[in-house]
């Protein structure tokens, strides 16, 4: 009897799978082989991840529950069941979080680094902090009284504040709040001692509520629904509507309240009465709130010795000798693997084109570029210099909307042609095309990537960059830009594959073709997430034919491996370590191209609701490079986790030999760089000696 591949039993729940990913992040904080601030970094990442999960995913589930929608995905879990499972998981995991934090603090103490509340400071330290409070904090914060004539204030998303209970001279109980603005530092510093700002504000709260006796207090933090809903079809001015959407984030429904354990029960009741939150959504912590702000300590230069050594990305041949980057690309296609190989060639690609009088046009897409972008600066200069600059700035890039609005306006002011996204779709493709005049002809140069045009994140995200002058690829790129700047609702390209029309059918076709080779078939898919049911079912069918499938999925994976008769031949791994694994690489042993790189994850949102690009890598030496990287990652015995049939992940251990792919790639690229430098130096010395003769 044929298997029903749509059965809920064959799928993990998306939200619970994401929680497993964040658990693997937290596991890094427990790794005693890492330096203490490296471990603290993972607690900060864990907290930031959880904030976004609540703002978007939990908020969405609550909205579905309110709308009485029962089934939301192929696993058939209702919103109520998902919310209950999320709360149970997070409340249980809190013990691991707190014990990990305490272990790290114990380790830091051995290095004379501490986090102490104001009351535990020495007299000398208290004097220093007192002076800082009155000079830097007192003029900024405001007391907020809450009574019949002073209503409970609106609290913005991720607001951090103190709730206080006071007694007046007649013995009457009063309540108040002190909001702690984000412009103030999370910790005040006295040498290597970090003092939480809320403990300082709490101590001096009677300076703000003069004449009252402080009875009790608790720091607290609120999280709101931060998903922006915009009716694009009805938008006369999309930028104006988006700006309103960003403002509305602070007015979203409350979805979480964080408090300190042991908080005064009457104060808690005071808060929950005004905030109207479900008891499931209240979390009590024994450790400081607002974990993401631990970056304040992690990023201290004076404590750099307590993190892993910073790796400097290397510029390798053919880009290492400062010669013309465009001549190098004309000679042969180049594939870079960041952050081991530097992102500088991508920045140089744009900057050099902006300065060259022979450059006629510059076209690119921008999704997340960062606050200080040398790439956008170069585009602005090029436009001011009279070059034809066309930029699609995706204004709907979540949590980067404000930054992208700023850059879009700056580019438009400089005279660039700016497209603010496509109605109904996000443009997530990473593509840049430069066209120059060479004699009587035009020559185009193309960059295609898996990650954002952001030099800062390129140092901590692994991604791939591909440069080519191939005519068919450039013709496709030109057609792609015509498609996104014009009115066309569909375009077909010769070599590049695009979503929402072609990537998903192409991937399914590639999986089916590889599965026709049965036991000789071999597929490796590396992505951030695997959720799309059609892709999963194609993989199940391939496995049932005997095709071997290795999946390297960093985050969410709803495919269930090791199901008898369905996914026996599928292994799922996740790599979590120093760098955030970000490239999408799709390998098919018997396909003529073998390797594809893409901006698209294996999710419905990427495959049918976004504009993405998938690029075939056709040069044998570049295919070999990709296969070596994938092979190394599949041998990793330090950072690799294996997904079990139960939904749990287990860290892979292979005997006594430790294989850390991040470390190995750093060492390997450094050796290539050192050899290139040595060869270059020897060549120059020989030329100098020859010249002397």
């Amino acid at each position: 009897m044929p298997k029903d591949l749509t059965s809920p039993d064959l799928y993990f729940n998306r939200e619970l799978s994401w929680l497993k990913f964040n658990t693997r992040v937290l596991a890094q904080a427990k790794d005693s082989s890492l330096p203490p601030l490296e471990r603290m970094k993972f607690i900060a990442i864990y907290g930031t991840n959880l904030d976004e999960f609540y703002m978007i995913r939990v908020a969405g589930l609550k909205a579905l529950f309110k709308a009485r929608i029962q089934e939301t995905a192929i696993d058939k879990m209702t919103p109520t069941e998902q919310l209950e499972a999320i709360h149970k998981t997070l409340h249980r995991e809190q013990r691991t979080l707190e014990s990990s934090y305490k272990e790290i603090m114990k380790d830091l103490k051995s290095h004379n680094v501490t986090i102490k509340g104001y009351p535990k400071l020495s007299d000398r330290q208290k004097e220093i902090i007192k002076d800082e409070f009155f000079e830097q904090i007192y003029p900024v914060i405001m007391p907020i009284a809450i009574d019949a004539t002073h209503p409970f204030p609106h609290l913005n998303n991720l607001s951090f504040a103190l709730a206080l209970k006071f007694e007046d001279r007649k013995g009457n109980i009063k309540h108040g709040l002190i909001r702690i603005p984000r412009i103030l530092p999370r910790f005040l510093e006295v040498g290597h001692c970090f003092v939480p700002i809320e403990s300082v504000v709490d101590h001096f709260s009677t300076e703000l509520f003069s004449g009252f006796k402080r009875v009790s207090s608790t720091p607290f933090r609120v999280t709101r629904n931060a998903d922006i809903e915009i009716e694009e079809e009805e938008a006369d001015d999309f930028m104006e509507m988006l700006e309103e959407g960003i403002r509305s984030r602070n007015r979203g429904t409350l979805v979480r309240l964080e408090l300190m354990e042991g908080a005064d029960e009457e104060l808690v009741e005071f808060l929950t009465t005004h905030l109207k939150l479900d008891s499931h959504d209240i979390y009590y912590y024994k450790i400081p709130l607002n974990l993401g702000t631990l970056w304040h300590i992690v990023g201290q230069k004076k404590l750099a010795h307590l993190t892993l050594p910073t790796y400097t990305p290397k510029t390798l041949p053919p880009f290492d000798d400062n010669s013309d980057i465009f001549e190098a690309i004309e000679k042969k296609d180049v594939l870079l693997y960041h952050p081991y190989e530097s992102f500088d060639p991508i920045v140089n690609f744009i900057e050099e084109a902006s300065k060259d009088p022979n450059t006629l046009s510059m076209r690119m897409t921008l999704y997340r570029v960062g606050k200080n972008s040398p790439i956008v600066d170069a585009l602005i200069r090029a436009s001011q210099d009279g070059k034809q600059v066309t930029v699609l700035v995706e204004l709907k890039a979540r949590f980067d909307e404000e930054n992208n609005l700023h850059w879009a306006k700056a580019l438009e002011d400089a005279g660039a042609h700016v497209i603010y996204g496509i109605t109904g779709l996000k443009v997530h493709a990473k593509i840049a095309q430069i066209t120059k005049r060479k004699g009587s002809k035009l020559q185009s140069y193309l960059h295609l990537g898996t990650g954002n045009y952001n030099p800062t994140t390129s140092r901590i995200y692994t991604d791939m960059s591909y440069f080519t002058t191939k005519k068919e690829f450039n013709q496709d790129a030109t057609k792609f830009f015509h498609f996104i700047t014009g009115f066309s609702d569909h375009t077909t390209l010769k070599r590049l594959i695009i979503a929402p029309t072609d990537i998903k059918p192409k991937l399914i076709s590639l999986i089916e073709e590889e599965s026709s080779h049965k036991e000789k078939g071999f597929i490796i898919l590396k992505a951030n997430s695997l959720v799309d049911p059609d892709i999963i079912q194609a993989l199940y069918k391939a496995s049932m034919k005997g095709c071997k499938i290795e999946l390297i999925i960093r985050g969410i994976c709803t495919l269930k491996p090791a199901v008898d008769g369905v996914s026996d031949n599928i292994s799922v791994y996740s790599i979590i370590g120093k760098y955030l694994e970000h490239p999408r690489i799709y390998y098919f042993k018997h396909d003529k191209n073998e390797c594809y790189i893409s901006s698209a994850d294996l999710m419905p949102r990427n495959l049918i609701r976004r504009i993405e690009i998938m690029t075939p890598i056709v040069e044998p030496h570049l295919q070999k490079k990709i296969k070596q990287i994938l092979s190394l990652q599949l041998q990793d015995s330090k950072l690799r986790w294996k997904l079990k049939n139960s939904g749990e992940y287990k860290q892979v251990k292979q005997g006594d030999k430790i294989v850390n792919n991040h470390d190995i790639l750093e060492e390997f690229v450094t050796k290539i760089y050192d050899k290139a430098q040595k060869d270059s130096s020897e060549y120059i010395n020989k030329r100098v000696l020859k010249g002397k003769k």
Side-chain angles (χ1 to χ4, degrees):
M1 188 175 175
K3 298 276 187 181
D4 177 11
L5 298 184
T6 64
S7 169
D9 296 337
L10 294 178
Y11 299 86
F12 295 123
N13 176 262
R14 180 197 195 283
E15 315 305 347
L16 301 185
S17 179
W18 183 91
L19 287 179
K20 298 290 184 190
F21 156 66
N22 215 29
T23 299
R24 296 193 295 283
V25 172
L26 182 59
Q28 302 301 302
K30 292 181 69 65
D31 186 350
S32 59
S33 70
L34 294 173
L37 286 188
E38 195 71 24
R39 296 168 68 190
M40 183 176 275
K41 178 185 81 173
F42 284 103
I43 284 189
I45 293 169
Y46 175 88
T48 304
N49 286 348
L50 208 53
D51 286 348
E52 186 169 335
F53 181 71
Y54 251 88
M55 287 188 284
I56 304 300
R57 305 306 306 181
V58 173
L61 287 172
K62 283 177 169 287
L64 291 173
F65 170 75
K66 193 174 180 182
R68 299 185 179 181
I69 294 171
Q70 291 304 304
E71 294 180 1
T72 60
I74 199 166
D75 62 87
K76 303 299 183 188
M77 281 187 77
T78 67
T80 305
E81 290 170 337
Q82 291 179 70
L83 286 168
E84 286 176 354
I86 288 166
H87 297 142
K88 185 179 178 181
T89 300
L90 290 177
H91 283 292
R92 184 177 64 243
E93 193 163 78
Q94 202 173 306
R95 292 193 291 272
T96 305
L97 171 65
E98 291 170 345
S99 65
S100 301
Y101 176 85
K102 287 173 183 175
E103 286 171 15
I104 293 166
M105 293 313 304
K106 186 178 178 181
D107 196 353
L108 284 172
K109 192 174 182 181
S110 69
H111 296 277
N112 297 315
V113 177
T114 56
I115 296 178
K116 288 183 182 178
Y118 185 85
K120 293 185 178 180
L121 299 178
S122 67
D123 291 342
R124 175 63 185 143
Q125 288 174 323
K126 284 180 179 177
E127 281 300 313
I128 294 169
I129 295 298
K130 180 181 177 181
D131 290 344
E132 187 169 351
F133 171 80
F134 282 105
E135 288 176 16
Q136 303 292 334
I137 299 171
Y138 183 76
V140 177
I141 55 177
M142 296 286 289
I144 302 170
I146 313 293
D147 56 28
T149 57
H150 298 87
F152 195 91
H154 172 80
L155 297 171
N156 287 345
N157 184 34
L158 302 182
S159 283
F160 183 43
L162 274 172
L164 302 115
K165 185 164 74 173
F166 294 99
E167 190 179 280
D168 66 13
R169 291 185 178 90
K170 296 179 181 179
N172 298 314
I173 295 297
K174 300 285 185 181
H175 294 102
L177 298 180
I178 302 174
R179 280 191 277 211
I180 300 174
R182 290 177 205 174
I183 55 170
L184 293 175
R186 177 68 181 86
F187 299 95
L188 306 185
E189 299 172 34
V190 189
H192 286 175
C193 177
F194 296 87
V195 187
I197 190 171
E198 66 272 24
S199 74
V200 180
V201 173
D202 186 23
H203 181 81
F204 292 105
S205 58
T206 51
E207 298 289 338
L208 293 138
F209 291 91
S210 183
F212 288 84
K213 178 186 175 184
R214 176 188 165 284
V215 177
S216 63
S217 67
T218 182
F220 71 97
R221 187 169 179 256
V222 299
T223 309
R224 292 183 177 274
N225 182 340
D227 213 0
I228 296 175
E229 291 186 20
I230 295 173
E231 296 296 332
E232 294 180 58
E233 299 290 350
E234 300 175 12
D236 293 324
D237 187 330
F238 182 74
M239 290 179 75
E240 187 178 314
M241 187 164 277
L242 186 67
E243 287 172 329
E244 175 57 31
I246 294 168
R247 289 191 290 272
S248 74
R249 223 170 230 159
N250 288 320
R251 301 193 294 271
T253 310
L254 282 163
V255 293
R256 182 176 60 162
L257 171 65
E258 296 168 280
L259 293 160
M260 293 302 294
E261 194 166 287
D264 182 299
E265 288 184 13
E266 205 244 328
L267 256 185
V268 173
E269 187 180 348
F270 160 73
L271 284 172
T272 53
T273 301
H274 284 94
L275 296 174
K276 298 180 175 62
L277 268 172
D278 190 292
S279 60
H280 284 308
D281 294 316
I282 301 172
Y283 292 83
Y284 293 89
Y285 289 93
K286 295 178 182 176
I287 61 178
L289 303 181
N290 204 356
L291 295 174
T293 55
L294 290 172
W295 282 106
H296 177 112
I297 300 172
V298 173
Q300 295 281 323
K301 289 183 179 177
K302 63 186 178 184
L303 301 178
H305 60 289
L306 300 178
T307 62
L308 286 174
T310 300
Y311 173 77
T312 302
K314 306 295 187 288
T315 302
L316 301 183
F319 298 144
D320 60 329
D321 59 0
N322 294 318
S323 59
D324 189 317
I325 188 170
F326 296 95
E327 284 185 8
I329 299 167
E330 280 184 57
K331 288 175 183 174
K332 64 176 181 178
D333 291 2
V334 181
L335 182 75
L336 305 180
Y337 189 36
H338 313 299
Y340 313 101
E341 294 178 85
S342 176
F343 193 78
D344 289 348
I346 290 86
V347 176
N348 294 342
F349 181 67
I350 303 300
E351 287 187 333
E352 293 306 310
S354 72
K355 299 171 188 173
D356 188 348
N358 291 313
T359 299
L360 300 179
S361 74
M362 303 175 68
R363 301 165 174 168
M364 70 186 301
T365 57
L366 297 178
Y367 193 76
R368 301 185 195 276
V369 294
K371 292 191 180 297
N372 301 305
S373 173
I375 286 175
V376 180
D377 286 342
L379 292 170
I380 288 171
R381 289 195 303 271
S383 185
Q384 290 171 337
D385 199 32
K387 295 175 174 63
Q388 187 191 69
V389 176
T390 303
V391 188
L392 186 141
V393 181
E394 182 48 80
L395 298 184
K396 300 188 289 287
R398 186 179 286 150
F399 301 122
D400 271 314
E401 299 97 342
E402 204 163 354
N403 190 54
N404 287 4
L405 271 169
H406 164 75
W407 286 125
K409 288 175 181 176
L411 283 160
E412 199 163 53
D413 289 345
H417 177 47
V418 181
I419 305 106
Y420 304 112
I422 305 294
T423 303
L425 298 167
K426 278 187 183 179
V427 180
H428 192 247
K430 323 298 182 186
I431 180 170
Q433 185 183 40
I434 307 297
T435 301
K436 295 189 176 195
R437 185 175 297 284
K438 288 200 75 176
S440 60
K441 295 182 179 179
L442 299 186
Q443 174 67 57
S444 291
Y445 307 83
L446 187 61
H447 172 266
L448 294 148
T450 64
N452 295 308
Y453 288 105
N454 187 326
T456 303
T457 56
S458 74
R459 287 177 165 267
I460 52 175
Y461 288 23
T462 65
D463 266 306
M464 286 198 159
S465 280
Y466 176 56
F467 291 98
T468 185
T469 57
K470 280 189 169 57
K471 192 171 183 180
E472 280 190 331
F473 281 47
N474 271 288
Q475 286 173 340
D476 277 357
T478 300
K479 199 171 182 182
F480 172 82
F481 281 109
H482 289 170
F483 161 62
I484 62 173
T485 61
F487 286 115
S488 173
D489 61 357
H490 179 77
T491 190
T492 301
L493 307 180
K494 289 181 180 178
R495 300 308 305 274
L496 302 180
I497 306 130
I498 62 171
T501 52
D502 301 325
I503 293 180
K504 183 170 172 176
K506 178 66 174 177
L507 283 171
I508 291 173
S509 172
L510 287 164
I511 293 167
E512 289 173 348
E513 175 59 33
E514 194 63 32
S515 71
S516 70
H517 296 274
K518 299 182 180 179
E519 288 80 6
K520 293 181 180 178
F522 185 36
I523 297 169
I524 305 174
L525 305 182
K526 177 176 170 62
N528 296 321
S529 303
L530 171 57
V531 175
D532 188 88
D534 298 324
I535 299 288
I536 292 172
Q537 287 162 31
L539 292 169
Y540 283 155
K541 289 174 185 175
S543 171
M544 290 161 73
K545 289 182 180 180
C547 182
K548 185 182 179 184
I549 300 163
E550 305 269 22
L551 304 175
I552 307 172
I553 310 296
R554 185 193 78 219
I556 304 164
C557 180
T558 58
L559 175 148
K560 188 176 285 190
V563 176
D564 288 344
V566 177
S567 53
D568 316 67
N569 295 304
I570 302 176
S571 298
V572 182
Y573 302 103
S574 173
I575 292 174
I576 307 289
K578 180 179 180 180
Y579 300 119
L580 183 87
E581 293 292 329
H582 196 251
R584 295 81 169 184
I585 305 170
Y586 305 131
Y587 167 80
F588 304 88
K589 181 180 178 181
H590 292 91
D591 182 65
K592 63 178 180 181
N593 296 318
E594 285 195 69
C595 301
Y596 298 79
I597 64 169
S598 182
S599 58
D601 271 310
L602 303 172
M603 305 177 75
R605 74 178 190 190
N606 296 88
L607 300 175
I608 61 177
R609 295 196 295 274
R610 289 185 176 184
I611 292 176
E612 307 268 14
I613 291 178
M614 185 165 80
T615 305
I617 303 299
V618 300
E619 297 77 10
H621 71 287
L622 299 184
Q623 291 175 352
K624 184 180 178 183
K625 180 174 183 175
I626 290 175
K627 285 186 283 185
Q628 286 175 331
I629 291 166
L630 294 175
S631 175
L632 174 62
Q633 296 207 323
L634 288 169
Q635 295 175 67
D636 193 296
S637 61
K638 175 67 175 175
L639 310 178
R640 184 166 55 115
W641 297 71
K642 186 171 185 177
L643 174 60
K644 298 195 292 185
N645 182 266
S646 64
E648 297 299 316
Y649 282 80
K650 185 177 181 181
Q651 212 159 2
V652 174
K653 301 289 183 186
Q654 295 179 342
D656 297 328
K657 188 179 180 183
I658 295 176
V659 178
N660 181 327
N661 85 92
H662 290 176
D663 286 353
I664 289 170
L665 285 164
E666 284 183 355
E667 292 164 10
F668 178 68
V669 171
T670 300
K671 281 183 180 177
I672 295 174
Y673 175 78
D674 290 344
K675 184 178 185 303
Q677 295 295 102
K678 182 183 176 184
D679 290 348
S680 175
S681 178
E682 287 177 356
Y683 173 77
I684 290 167
N685 287 337
K686 284 178 183 176
R687 289 297 301 267
V688 169
L689 290 169
K690 190 177 179 181
K692 285 181 179 178
K693 287 180 182 178

